[in-house]
Each structure stands twice: as structure tokens, then as C-alpha cells.
């Protein structure tokens, strides 16, 4: 197209001028072409560069804070936008976003598949900008509550560059009353017994009293109220802690009316510094290790309720000791946390033997198994008795519920049963029942080796159906099968819902019959001890001489099944006195010789791992390690296979050197002290964590030049922690720093490795409250400003969403034409100054050349082998006169433009 076609009227004007003023030579190319270019420049030709239609990108906030409103209206919004679409060339694109960005189908409303705990508006806009067709008009419409959890900086420039307007519609509940905790201010560190001040800040849009509860390590400390006046209020209180470690504080408000409960809690952590200490986890009422360690000058924190262990207790700890404590009594989160504590933070770990330790305690294939210097994999030739096991599974309707991981409770329980089958030996027997109101045989009593794969497949195929579980029916069916076995040990695992275990029946008499015939029953209860049927199933385990497990996390079921199976099928405690023999491995720990006990009362059978060291071994047929040590990462671990307490520890407790032994071993496990001149500083703002490493350049400069420090973070206190290494930025010769974002509700622990054997541990640290529910009003104003700067607006009528933005569809080629005109002017000036002319050929010259060419071709066709001299001479003579053209006029001398004009004027 032409932007100003009226300028084409200049062409007839130029033609008239050229006709009446012929001396101007306007028909010559160097005159005509510039005039044509000038005309085209004025006309301004345009090339179409944009496609027809409009791409409308609809961003839908699917985060938790906007989910209810969006779910109620998304179908209507889609219908209205489709109805008001002007033409088929216009395209509607829906994009859902929260923590992730998902482009959805345009034909139906789908469920958002991602996490909803963040509102990443900037990420969604970045994605749309990247996807937008540069050759077509685009417009963005966003449905959101406006509370983005990330800043929108840098987006405005990109929208302006592409001429993409941003329209918005803010979503909010009408006349909603909301209260939220904005801060829980607490010191990062404190000393043992030192009082410290904490402050909770609460805001709300209606004045009044708001109930608040304070917790420490999930235990209630106090109830109080916060008075909200003119939109805000605060509560201050003091506390002091008399033991070392890190402690979690949490504040929760419970207003009677509240639109968004997601912002009603806030948590923070404090580290109570106490110097290096040892955590001793024991079930002995008077553990002899307490006096042994304290007499050697160690600060010992005794834990006699393993179920209450918290990961925060590892802060400031240098060594953890498990003294004859079964694995099922220790929280899985604590067991998993030991890997990072040892390998990255440089901590120590010691397991002491007994009937509830090592393989007998269910530690085989547990999170601490690979950390130990001994293997608990019982060799088949060392097994004395086979096991007949019955697994009785609850398949009631409650097992059909889906967990957070996407699997049902039944599927996870099935996986636990399959894991149990995998751990049984080739000589063991197995039977499996699924129970609702009756018992259904899934696998008859069969030798495991005869069909392990088929048994596992059957175990995984159990479906949830029926009402509650009839416990008595399941126990009776399982025992009837076990009673047929000739195995030396009969054991039953009952899996049931702690809140829905029905029909106890004559379970007491049945259990008495089972135990009197050498059988035992353990129970895995899905729930807590506070559930309605918890006392009943706990009594089943007690009367069945077994163990009771409670869990509220279905994902932990496979691990619990594995622990129980290992405890039964791989019981490896040898309760007979035996002699010992030394190996010389102790000198890797100490340069002092150790006077070992000549005999011990019993031990846990295990096998030394490759690369680890045994200082003392059994003098029996197994030659098993009794004292073994090893290194894991930058940490150290040890295994004492004989008991140090209880009925099989008399000879060891009478050992004169037991105190020196424990002192030397624990000091080795605690590692080396970090030299002075180095420290860390952490600061958490929102979800951004800043870590600074400050050091004395004289002490650490040379070392960090060759081996820079490494920073490793472990994220999460439940499930399997995720570990990642971060990259430092060197700020100055004595200062490293970095920043990283943390996930909500995921406490992190860290370690700065400053050498191959030393690290500076820190944490836990946590994002105190959900940023999704923080409702920062600055983000709404930021969105409005961004929309205005991009020529967008707040959208009331959705039919206006299809308004095309002001963006030129065509591109001008004027710059190219101007370039050609400039080249033409320069060439014209050059020709004028030099007098250069195009070479001209007359008609006669052309005719002569043609005749010569024709004769030459005929001569070549008829040429004899040799020609006589006269012929050659004749052939070279000039052509006849009548064909010879008249002589051409000698070229005229060059004359300037002014000379020619002067001559014509005469």
C-alpha cells in the first residue's frame, strides 16, 4: 500500500515540464530516475508485516489465594471471551499459572496440575512474551487477585517494546474480613538459660481481639489475645531454653471470622548455643553410658523418648549415639537428616549393639544403613531358623483415599507388603490376606523362593473395597495359615486403620493361642494414638508379643513394613559368651594401645564394609567386627556390636578401660575443632536467603585461593531432603556472599565446607509464613502501574478485551528509497565532473561486425587442408566498398554542461 498516494500527481507534472522544457533532458535516465525516486519517497510505499487478527493471551491465577473465585467463574469467562471474538483470525490462548506456568487447551476447562503455593505473575508474563507472535498483534488479559509473590520489575520494558497492552481484572471476595500474622521476630541465637524477647505482629481489616497460641517444637507454650486497633496489633513475650540445639517457634491466630486462614500462622527458629555436645538416644532407664561419658567431661543430652527427636537438636551437636534403640521408635525424618549431618556438616554417629540394634532393630536398608561401617545383610549360610510370615491387609473403603503423592493408601500399603516379600529369605514362607468384613486369601502359604515375583505382583494388586476391617477375622485367617507351617518362627503383620478397626471378637483368647504356640503379632496402624481404635490395636500388639507402629504419613508404610520384616527375619543377635581378638586397626584412631576385653556376653552379627576398619573382631566362626570405624563425607561413624548396657553387658561394664575407650572413640567421632578467624552470617527476607562468609585473610586466604569454600544446602525436614551446592560470589578478599530463594514451609540446613575435614554448619532456617497469603498491597499497585505503562487498563466488560492495540501493520521502505536517491545524486555528480559517457556504436559498425562473423563461420566450414598464399592474401583484404560503412565522425571533445547550454541559447 501507499501511505500518501496523492504524490503520484507529480508524475504528469514532470512529463509536461519535460515536454515544454526539452533542454532539461528529463527523459534521460539520470534525470528521470531521481524524479521517480523522489515521487516514491513522498508516496511512502508500505510493506505489510503483520498478520490479520489478534492473539489474546488470558492469564488465569490458579494460586491458592485465588483458587475459589477462579474455579467458580473460569467457565463463564471463557464463554464470554469466545462469544465476543470478532473474527476467525483472532485467537484465544488460556495460560494457567501459580508456582508453574501451564498453557491450557482452548476447548475445555482443565484442572491445574501444578503447585498452588506461589503466585508467579512475572514468570507467566515472561512466558507469554516469549510465546507471542512477533508478526501479529497481541494483547494480555490477566485474572488475578493481584498479590504476586515476586516483583514485576523489567516486564514493562518488554511489553512496550512489543506493543503488547496488559489488561487486568482483580479478583476479591466482597466484604471479606481477614487477619494475618506478618512477623514473628525472634533472635537468631541465644545462650543456654539466657532470656530472650519475641514479638508477634498481626494485622486485620476489622478492629477487635484475636486469639493467639504460641508453640515451641510443636508443644503449646501459651494462649493469649492480640488487640487489633486501627488495623494492627502486637504481642510480646519472653522465653528461655536450658538445653542446646535449634528450636522451632510457631504462632497461630484463630479469629472467629476470617476469609483466608492460610495466613494465620508464622514460624521461626532460634539456635541455643551450648558448645559441642553428644546426643545419647537410649531406652535404658539408667544407661551406664551417661556416667561414662559425663565422667570423661562430655556434655551429654540424653533422649529417652526417641519418638520426640527433632532435627533441630542436631544444631551444635558433634556426635549422635543410638544405644539399643529400634528403628521404628525414631522418626524417619530424623534418620534421614543424619546423612547430611554426617557427610556435609562433619558430625559423628555411633551405633551400640543389643537385641534392638543393628539388623535386630530394623536398621537394615534404613536411611542410616549406608552410613555405618558394617553391613547388616545376613548371609544365607548364617541363618539358623526360617520364618513363616502372614501379612493381613486392611482393604476397607478408607484405603481408597488418595495421598499427596497421587497414590492411594491401599497402593502404598501394597508396596509395603511387596517390600516385605523382597526382604524374606529363600527358605521363608509367606501368606497374604486382604480383609474387610471377611478375610480374602490373596497368597496361600508358600515358599518365597518358589514364586517371589508372582507373590509381589499379587500383593500389589489388592484393591480397596467394603466397609471397615474386621480385625478378628483377619487374625484368625492369618493364624490358621501360619499354624500349618513347620518353620521355627511364626509372625503376623496386621495393617489396619487406627480409626476404623471393627469387630474385636475373641481376640484376647486368639492371641493367647498364637503366643503359646510360638507365634507373634505386630500392628501397623494408619493414624495416631488418639484415634478411636488406637487403644484396641495397641493391645493387640502388646498381647501378641510384637511391636506397634503408628503413622499419619501413608508414604512411610513401605519403610515400616521393611523395618518390621528385617526385625523378624534378620534377627542376628548372638547371646552366647565368646572371646575377642584384636586387629591393630585402633592405631588409625589413637596412638595409644588399647587393652581390649578378653570376652564379651553377646553381639550383633554384621560384616565389615570395604574400605572401613575393624579394631576388634569376634573369635568365633564368623570373625565378625565388634568395633568398626569409617568415614562418610567429612564425617565419621562407628559401630560397637556388643551391648554397653542391659543383660548382655556385664563383662564389658567390668572392663577397666571402658572409660578410656569411649573417650577416645567419641573425641575421634566429634572431629577436629575449627580454627579461629572465620564465621558465617545469615539473613532471611521473604523467601530470599543471604549468606555471608567472613574470614581472616591471613589465616584462611592462602587456603581459599587454592580450595574455595563450598556451600551445600539440604532442603526439607520431612520426606527425602534435597541437597544442592550453591556458587559463591567473592565480594572482597575477606568476604564471600550469595543469595538464593527458599521454598515455603521447607526448613533448610546448610554446611560451608572450609576444608576436606571441616565444615561450618548452620540452620535450620525457614520462610516464616506463606508468601502466597501475605497479601502485599504493593504488588497490586505494581500491577496497575505496569498495565498503565503498557497502554492497558482495568477491564470491566470482557468484550473490550479484543480491542486491537495501536501498532502499525505495515513497514515503510522510505529508508531504502532515500538510499537509492542518494546513490543516484552522487553518480550524477561524478559523471558531470568527469565527463564520462556511455560508449556508442553506429549502425554501420554493427553491420560490418555481423558480416565478418558470418564469413568467418562459412570459411571455417569449407576451409581446405592448406591454402595458397594468394588465397590467404585475398581473404585478408578489406570487404567490398559497397559494404564498407562510412567513416565514423571523430568523437567530440568533452564539453561542460555550461558550454552546451550557452551554445543552445545562441
Amino acid at each position: 500500500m501507499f501511505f500518501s498516494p496523492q504524490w503520484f500527481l507529480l508524475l504528469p507534472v514532470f512529463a509536461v515540464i519535460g515536454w515544454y522544457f526539452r533542454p532539461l533532458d528529463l527523459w534521460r535516465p539520470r534525470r528521470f530516475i531521481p524524479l521517480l525516486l523522489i515521487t516514491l519517497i513522498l508516496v511512502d510505499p508500505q510493506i505489510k508485516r503483520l498478520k490479520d487478527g489478534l492473539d489474546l493471551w488470558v492469564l488465569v491465577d490458579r494460586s491458592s489465594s485465588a483458587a475459589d473465585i477462579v474455579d467458580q467463574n473460569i467457565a463463564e469467562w471463557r464463554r464470554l471471551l469466545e462469544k465476543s471474538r470478532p473474527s476467525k483470525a483472532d485467537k484465544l490462548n488460556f495460560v494457567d499459572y501459580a508456582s508453574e506456568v501451564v498453557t491450557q487447551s482452548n476447548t475445555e476447562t482443565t484442572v491445574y496440575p501444578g503447585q498452588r503455593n506461589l503466585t508467579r505473575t512475572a514468570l507467566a508474563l515472561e512466558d507469554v512474551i516469549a510465546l507471542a507472535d512477533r508478526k501479529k498483534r497481541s494483547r494480555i488479559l490477566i485474572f488475578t487477585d493481584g498479590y504476586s509473590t515476586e516483583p514485576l520489575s523489567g516486564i514493562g520494558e518488554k511489553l512496550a517494546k512489543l506493543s503488547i497492552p496488559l489488561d487486568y481484572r482483580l479478583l476479591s471476595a466482597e466484604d471479606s474480613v481477614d487477619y494475618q500474622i506478618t512477623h514473628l521476630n525472634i533472635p537468631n541465637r541465644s545462650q543456654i538459660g539466657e532470656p530472650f524477647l519475641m514479638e508477634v505482629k498481626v494485622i486485620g481489616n476489622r478492629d477487635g481481639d484475636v486469639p493467639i497460641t504460641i508453640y515451641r517444637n510443636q508443644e503449646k507454650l501459651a494462649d493469649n489475645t492480640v488487640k487489633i486497633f486501627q488495623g494492627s496489633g502486637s504481642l510480646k513475650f519472653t522465653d528461655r531454653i536450658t538445653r542446646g540445639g535449634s528450636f522451632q517457634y510457631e504462632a497461630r491466630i484463630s479469629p472467629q471470622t476470617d476469609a483466608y486462614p492460610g495466613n494465620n500462622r508464622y514460624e521461626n527458629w532460634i539456635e541455643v548455643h551450648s558448645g559441642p555436645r553428644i546426643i545419647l538416644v537410649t531406652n535404658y532407664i539408667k544407661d551406664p553410658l551417661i556416667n561414662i561419658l559425663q565422667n570423661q567431661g562430655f556434655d551429654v543430652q540424653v533422649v529417652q523418648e526417641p519418638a520426640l527427636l527433632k532435627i533441630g537438636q542436631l544444631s551444635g551437636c558433634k556426635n549422635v549415639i543410638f544405644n539399643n534403640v529400634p528403628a521404628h521408635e525414631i522418626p524417619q525424618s530424623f534418620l534421614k537428616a543424619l546423612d547430611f549431618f554426617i557427610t556435609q556438616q562433619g558430625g559423628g554417629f555411633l551405633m551400640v549393639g543389643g537385641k534392638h540394634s543393628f539388623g535386630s532393630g530394623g536398621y537394615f536398608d534404613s536411611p542410616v544403613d549406608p552410613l555405618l561401617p558394617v553391613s547388616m545383610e545376613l548371609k544365607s549360610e548364617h541363618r539358623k531358623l526360617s520364618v513363616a510370615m502372614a501379612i493381613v491387609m486392611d482393604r476397607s473403603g478408607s484405603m481408597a483415599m488418595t495421598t499427596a503423592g497421587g497414590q492411594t493408601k491401599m497402593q502404598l500399603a501394597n508396596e509395603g507388603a511387596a517390600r516385605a516379600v523382597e526382604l524374606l529369605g529363600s527358605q521363608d514362607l509367606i501368606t497374604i490376606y486382604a480383609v474387610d468384613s471377611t478375610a480374602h486369601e490373596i497368597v496361600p502359604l508358600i515358599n518365597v523362593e518358589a514364586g517371589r515375583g508372582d507373590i509381589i505382583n499379587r500383593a500389589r494388586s489388592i484393591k480397596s473395597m467394603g466397609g471397615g476391617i474386621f480385625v478378628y477375622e483377619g487374625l484368625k485367617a492369618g493364624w490358621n495359615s501360619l499354624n500349618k507351617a513347620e518353620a521355627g518362627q511364626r509372625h503376623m503383620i496386621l495393617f489396619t486403620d487406627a480409626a476404623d478397626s471393627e469387630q474385636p471378637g475373641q481376640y484376647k483368647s486368639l492371641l493367647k493361642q498364637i503366643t503359646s504356640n510360638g507365634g507373634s503379632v505386630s500392628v501397623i496402624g494408619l493414624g495416631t494414638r488418639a484415634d478411636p481404635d488406637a487403644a484396641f490395636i495397641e493391645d493387640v500388639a502388646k498381647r501378641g508379643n510384637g511391636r506397634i507402629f503408628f503413622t499419619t504419613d501413608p508414604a512411610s508404610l513401605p519403610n515400616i513394613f521393611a523395618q518390621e520384616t528385617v526385625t523378624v527375619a534378620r534377627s542376628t543377635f548372638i547371646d552366647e559368651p565368646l572371646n575377642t581378638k584384636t586387629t591393630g586397626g585402633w592405631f588409625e584412631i589413637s596412638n595409644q594401645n588399647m587393652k581390649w576385653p578378653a570376652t564379651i556376653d553377646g553381639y550383633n552379627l554384621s560384616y565389615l564394609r570395604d574400605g572401613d576398619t575393624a579394631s576388634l573382631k569376634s573369635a568365633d566362626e564368623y570373625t565378625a567386627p565388634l568395633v568398626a570405624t569409617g568415614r562418610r563425607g567429612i564425617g565419621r561413624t562407628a559401630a560397637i556390636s556388643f551391648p554397653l548396657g542391659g543383660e548382655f553387658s556385664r563383662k564389658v561394664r567390668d572392663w577397666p578401660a571402658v572409660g578410656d575407650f569411649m573417650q577416645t572413640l567419641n573425641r575421634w567421632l566429634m572431629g577436629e575443632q575449627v580454627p579461629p578467624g572465620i564465621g558465617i552470617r545469615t539473613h532471611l527476607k521473604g523467601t530470599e536467603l543471604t549468606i555471608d562468609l567472613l574470614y581472616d585473610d591471613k589465616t584462611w586466604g592462602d587456603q581459599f585461593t587454592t580450595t574455595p569454600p563450598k556451600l551445600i544446602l539440604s532442603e526439607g525436614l520431612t520426606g527425602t531432603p534435597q541437597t544442592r551446592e550453591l556458587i559463591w560470589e567473592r565480594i572482597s578478599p575477606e568476604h564471600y556472599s550469595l543469595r538464593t530463594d527458599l521454598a515455603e514451609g521447607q526448613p533448610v540446613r546448610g554446611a560451608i565446607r572450609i576444608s576436606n575435614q571441616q565444615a561450618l554448619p548452620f540452620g535450620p532456617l525457614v520462610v516464616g509464613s506463606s508468601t502466597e497469603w501475605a497479601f502485599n498491597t504493593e504488588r497490586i499497585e505494581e500491577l496497575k502501574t505496569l498495565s498503565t505503562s503498557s497502554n492497558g487498563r482495568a477491564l470491566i466488560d470482557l468484550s473490550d478485551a479484543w480491542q486491537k492495540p495501536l501498532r502499525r501493520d505495515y513497514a515503510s521502505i522510505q529508508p531504502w528509497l532515500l538510499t537509492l536517491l542518494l546513490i543516484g545524486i552522487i553518480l550524477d555528480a561524478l559523471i558531470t565532473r568527469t565527463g564520462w559517457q556511455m560508449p556508442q556504436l553506429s549502425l554501420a559498425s554493427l553491420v560490418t561486425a555481423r558480416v565478418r562473423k558470418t564469413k568467418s563461420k562459412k570459411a571455417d566450414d569449407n576451409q581446405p587442408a592448406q591454402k595458397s598464399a594468394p588465397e590467404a592474401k585475398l581473404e585478408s583484404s578489406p570487404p567490398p566498398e559497397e559494404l564498407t560503412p562510412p567513416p565514423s565522425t571523430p568523437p567530440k571533445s568533452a564539453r561542460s554542461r555550461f558550454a552546451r547550454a550557452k551554445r543552445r541559447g545562441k
Side-chain angles (χ1 to χ4, degrees), residues 841-845 848 881-891:
L841 295 177
S842 63
L843 179 60
S845 299
T848 301
E881 187 174 351
E882 62 272 13
L883 296 177
T884 303
S888 60
T889 305

Side-chain angles (χ1 to χ4, degrees), residues 349-417:
F349 177 60
L350 168 63
M351 183 173 286
V352 182
K355 283 196 169 182
H356 302 292
S357 191
F358 293 99
S360 300
Y363 287 99
F364 174 73
D365 208 24
S366 72
V368 301
D369 186 356
L371 300 174
L372 291 171
V374 295
S375 169
M376 293 169 278
E377 176 68 45
L378 184 60
K379 297 179 181 179
S380 58
E381 62 267 24
H382 292 165
R383 293 195 61 182
K384 303 299 184 182
L385 297 173
S386 61
V387 174
M389 179 176 288
I391 299 177
V392 179
M393 307 277 288
D394 178 358
R395 74 165 194 181
S396 61
S398 62
M399 293 297 114
M401 293 182 61
T402 303
T403 64
Q407 294 176 295
T408 64
K409 295 178 181 180
M410 192 76 256
Q411 289 174 325
L412 292 168
N414 292 348
E415 192 60 36

Side-chain angles (χ1 to χ4, degrees), residues 473-493:
E473 293 295 328
L475 293 174
K476 183 179 178 181
W479 176 244
N480 287 340
S481 289
L482 290 181
N483 205 23
K484 302 173 185 177
E486 298 179 357
Q489 187 177 3
R490 300 177 179 91
H491 185 70
M492 190 185 310
I493 300 176

Side-chain angles (χ1 to χ4, degrees), residues 98 107 148 188 190 278 314 326 335 363 440 454 489 502 504 524 621 635 647 657 699 707 754 803 806 809 817 839 906:
T107 58
S148 174
N188 291 330
S190 178
I278 296 173
L314 294 174
L335 291 176
Y363 287 99
H440 307 272
D454 182 58
Q489 187 177 3
E502 303 176 21
I524 301 174
E621 59 181 302
E647 58 177 322
T699 305
T707 308
I754 55 179
Q803 180 179 332
L806 296 175
D809 291 356
L817 297 175
K906 293 178 180 180

